[in-house]
Amino acid sequence: MSVGRVVSYGVPAVIGLALLIGLPQLLDLFVLLQVTLYVVMAILALSLAFVWGYGGILCLGQSAFFGLGAYAYAITAFNIGESSLPVVIAILLPTLFAAALGYLMFYGRISEVYVGVITLTVTLILFNAVNSTASPEYRIGSALIGGYNGLPNVPSLNFPFDPDNTLQPDDVYMVAMATLLIVYFGIRWILRTRFGRVLVAIRENERRVEFIGFDARLHKLAAFALGAGIAGAAGCLFVNWGSYVSPTIFSMIQSAQIIIWVMVGGVGTLIGPILGAVALSWLTAEVGTQHVINADILFGGILIVFVLLVPRGLVPMLTEHVWSRVMQPRRKVAVAAKLAAPGGRA
Amino acid sequence: MTTVPLIETRQLTMNFGGVQAVQNVDFSVAEGELRCLIGPNGAGKSTFFKMLTGQLVPTAGEVRFRGRPISGRQPHEIARLGIGIKTQVPSVFDGLTAHENLWLAASRGKRGRAIDRAVDEAIERLMLRPIADRLVGQLAHGQRQWVELGLVLLTEPVVILLDEPAAGMTDDETTRTAELIHDINRTHALIVVEHDMAFIRKIARAITVFDRGKILVEGPAHRVLSDRRVRDVYLGKRAA
């Protein structure tokens, strides 16, 4: 292993493990709960960072899978009581749903713009469908779906196959943080495999990928389904964070937020969307407590500023600046020498 | 003829609305052949070419590869049969380095160290060593063409279809491309669509001339290039 690779894996691993173990010791419970939410949102951001930033699939409705994961967990947890199987279902259901949707979109060779339109429409349909199930006849097993009232008092996670031993808030934090690390390093590993490289190549030039004999449709379908599974896991953790889920999880605002996190952090990076999700979720919480400015207006403003001034996002901008400072100090010297030379024009 | 042609079309036809871009074309190329397709603008060369590669599904007729019908198959399936395609505007992965581009192509049919060996060989053969670690999007047009050629060669096709390989190249690059085409033809059959008559003279052995969606003349280069009808078509004397 080269030094560069040790650093590029080692640094995030050390920071991640330190946060995983350290924060529950350092922070009081209220703050730790907030941080748990940010971590969950970071996982959600990673799901889109992978699908959009590397797969080139602009999914405008990533919240559909987040919400499906959340509802799948909540409804099965009410029915089963023990959380091991509901967790699996919360990941599997969005994955299969995305696989079916992806099959129609990618095998139907629908153009990129329509993929965006369809995914957005799907999440809005889910929002309306779930929203209108408030009457008590809408139930799945023992779980009332609850419509716009949402599902309160969702049973929380327990240690696997031990229903009486439920996770405490600091345990939930550690599960969320561990999931974030697994997802982050998992995606990095995938991107090094042939599958990941072909995926990036599809983003660059889908036609050429097919000319060299790879089935682009299948690769996109797999990436889309995988991203949905990650979003579903985030949804499952989200329900556990608040033991509550409502249809707003499918809303346009939720979907837009994910896109803004990824954009602000940097499309085509993984650290960027994590930081974007954490920073903007924190900002949303702060703004919410102060009642000075509407959070949506603030978000819209941030989006406009980034699109105009930092279109590639924070992380690509910063790394490029740092990179050019570190790698090309000589150029500056050369320029300075030229300027200092007699006859050189400043 | 008893041997099965490498690529064969039967009554191949393509209509765009009311326009018959290609009409009932019977065409065949043998194993190991080097064939040039020429013709004036709008003669149907590109449409014909796209039907061979699966980018367009013919309105009627069929394309056969070693006797097997392939029209209507997915582009990646056609590629896997052994048909390599080099497009007119280089179709490469601009955001990746030349090395990464070639790695992808080699990784389709190979595993492990065989990939690296094949990529290294291609880099040598195409003289891409000095630019191997540069992003392809930043390379000059001619260099991008060669990266694309490398991509195509690394998939180890039986036949390579080249769409205007010399378009936009400098004279030196054109000469080098002509040499490369002869070199490649030692191991692969080639079908070259070309516009540039000077380039055609450098490479051509057998030529098929398209005009108005049909084959006008077909035969050895020297005969076709001196054919009166071909000159007329190119010089626009047809109406006279």
Side-chain angles (χ1 to χ4, degrees):
Chain A
M1 247 197 210
S2 69
V3 178
R5 198 186 295 172
V6 171
V7 171
S8 95
Y9 279 89
V11 170
V14 169
I15 293 174
L17 286 174
L19 291 174
L20 173 68
I21 299 162
L23 286 191
Q25 320 291 330
L26 292 173
L27 300 177
D28 66 51
L29 194 59
F30 176 76
V31 180
L32 191 67
L33 269 171
Q34 286 302 110
V35 172
T36 308
L37 179 66
Y38 305 154
V39 171
V40 171
M41 294 310 170
I43 299 168
L44 181 56
L46 276 183
S47 77
L48 187 67
F50 175 64
V51 168
W52 181 24
Y54 293 93
I57 303 162
L58 179 50
C59 175
L60 298 181
Q62 196 67 9
S63 58
F65 313 121
F66 182 54
L68 276 176
Y71 267 94
Y73 173 81
I75 288 168
T76 50
F78 271 119
N79 281 295
I80 298 171
E82 201 274 335
S83 71
S84 306
L85 188 58
V87 168
V88 174
I89 293 172
I91 295 168
L92 270 188
L93 182 80
T95 306
L96 295 176
F97 181 78
L101 183 64
Y103 180 80
L104 296 175
M105 294 192 303
F106 304 131
Y107 281 68
R109 299 223 180 251
I110 280 171
S111 75
E112 217 174 303
V113 178
Y114 285 100
V115 169
V117 172
I118 288 172
T119 49
L120 180 61
T121 311
V122 163
T123 198
L124 294 180
I125 289 171
L126 285 170
F127 172 74
N128 277 312
V130 178
N131 207 35
S132 53
T133 57
S135 111
E137 74 254 25
Y138 293 107
R139 50 168 63 238
I140 296 175
S142 60
L144 281 169
I145 302 175
Y148 46 77
N149 297 316
L151 270 161
N153 303 322
V154 178
S156 43
L157 288 169
N158 52 256
F159 286 91
F161 312 110
D162 187 3
D164 297 328
N165 196 356
T166 55
L167 266 61
Q168 298 307 302
D170 51 348
D171 299 325
V172 174
Y173 163 77
M174 289 180 85
V175 171
M177 193 66 204
T179 309
L180 177 64
L181 289 175
I182 292 167
V183 168
Y184 171 76
F185 285 104
I187 293 176
R188 285 191 62 175
W189 172 75
I190 287 171
L191 291 173
R192 287 181 52 80
T193 64
R194 187 176 75 163
F195 168 76
R197 292 189 187 201
V198 172
L199 198 62
V200 171
I202 292 172
R203 179 191 73 188
E204 292 291 317
N205 185 344
E206 182 165 349
R207 168 145 282 177
R208 176 44 82 190
V209 167
E210 300 200 309
F211 284 166
I212 59 181
F214 291 110
D215 189 348
R217 305 168 303 173
L218 183 64
H219 282 77
K220 281 161 81 171
L221 175 68
F224 189 61
L226 185 65
I230 296 170
C236 169
L237 290 164
F238 178 74
V239 185
N240 275 286
W241 170 77
S243 61
Y244 172 73
V245 57
S246 80
T248 53
I249 199 169
F250 292 113
S251 68
M252 183 104 152
I253 290 172
Q254 180 63 56
S255 252
Q257 275 190 347
I258 311 171
I259 295 164
I260 296 171
W261 298 334
V262 176
M263 273 194 64
V264 166
V267 182
T269 69
L270 295 176
I271 288 292
I274 293 177
L275 297 178
V278 171
L280 291 178
S281 300
W282 170 78
L283 196 63
T284 312
E286 288 297 301
V287 169
T289 55
Q290 286 167 5
H291 303 287
V292 179
I293 181 172
N294 179 298
D296 295 338
I297 292 175
L298 184 69
F299 257 64
I302 290 174
L303 180 64
I304 291 170
V305 168
F306 269 80
V307 167
L308 292 176
L309 300 179
V310 199
R312 293 176 52 212
L314 275 180
V315 168
M317 186 189 74
L318 289 176
T319 46
E320 214 157 81
H321 274 246
V322 173
W323 192 248
S324 59
R325 289 267 164 84
V326 176
M327 296 308 288
Q328 297 168 327
R330 260 185 246 147
R331 190 197 279 174
K332 280 200 175 153
V333 176
V335 170
K338 205 175 181 184
L339 290 176
R345 276 178 290 177
Chain B
M1 213 163 66
T2 51
T3 52
V4 180
L6 181 62
I7 287 185
E8 188 184 18
T9 71
R10 290 184 185 169
Q11 296 292 301
L12 200 64
T13 301
M14 185 74 206
N15 298 334
F16 295 113
V19 183
Q20 278 205 311
V22 173
Q23 304 173 38
N24 307 322
V25 170
D26 290 320
F27 168 89
S28 83
V29 167
E31 303 270 349
E33 211 186 313
L34 166 53
R35 176 74 64 89
C36 290
L37 304 183
I38 65 170
N41 276 328
K45 297 173 310 233
S46 291
T47 305
F48 181 73
F49 186 84
K50 283 184 177 158
M51 286 191 282
L52 295 184
T53 58
Q55 296 174 73
L56 284 175
V57 179
T59 315
E62 63 176 13
V63 180
R64 284 168 175 262
F65 178 75
R66 288 179 168 165
R68 263 201 284 181
I70 58 167
S71 16
R73 293 237 201 152
Q74 290 297 326
H76 75 272
E77 293 173 322
I78 292 176
R80 283 182 179 209
L81 288 172
I83 301 182
I85 300 153
K86 203 201 136 318
T87 53
Q88 188 179 337
V89 177
S91 174
V92 286
F93 307 115
D94 279 337
L96 307 179
T97 66
H99 187 276
E100 284 166 335
N101 267 264
L102 298 174
W103 187 93
L104 277 160
S107 75
R108 223 268 295 134
K110 295 184 179 62
R111 283 285 176 279
R113 303 202 58 154
I115 299 175
D116 299 325
R117 253 199 316 274
V119 170
D120 263 357
E121 267 173 40
I123 286 174
E124 285 306 321
R125 182 177 190 181
L126 296 162
M127 301 189 218
L128 296 174
R129 184 69 65 200
I131 55 167
D133 290 322
R134 287 185 44 200
L135 292 183
V136 171
Q138 297 170 352
L139 298 178
H141 178 76
Q143 295 172 319
R144 286 154 54 80
Q145 296 271 32
W146 289 329
V147 170
E148 190 186 25
L149 208 50
L151 276 173
V152 176
L153 287 171
L154 280 167
T155 59
E156 302 189 344
V158 179
V159 54
I160 302 176
L161 309 177
L162 301 147
D163 196 357
E164 305 208 10
M169 282 193 168
T170 63
D171 283 350
D172 282 352
E173 285 169 340
T174 305
T175 308
R176 166 138 172 68
T177 305
E179 284 165 11
L180 211 51
I181 283 175
H182 282 137
D183 183 37
I184 292 167
N185 187 226
R186 282 190 207 123
T187 43
H188 302 74
L190 287 166
I191 300 176
V192 184
V193 173
E194 202 27 273
H195 219 73
D196 178 349
M197 289 307 275
F199 183 68
I200 291 285
R201 286 199 179 86
K202 276 185 192 147
I203 62 166
R205 288 174 191 159
I207 297 180
T208 301
V209 185
F210 272 77
D211 184 39
R212 303 193 175 186
K214 292 178 176 167
I215 293 177
L216 181 70
V217 200
E218 199 167 55
H222 62 91
R223 213 176 64 212
V224 169
L225 291 177
S226 58
D227 190 298
R228 209 127 162 232
R229 287 170 298 169
V230 177
R231 290 190 193 174
D232 288 352
V233 164
Y234 265 91
L235 297 175
K237 284 184 186 165
R238 165 174 285 274

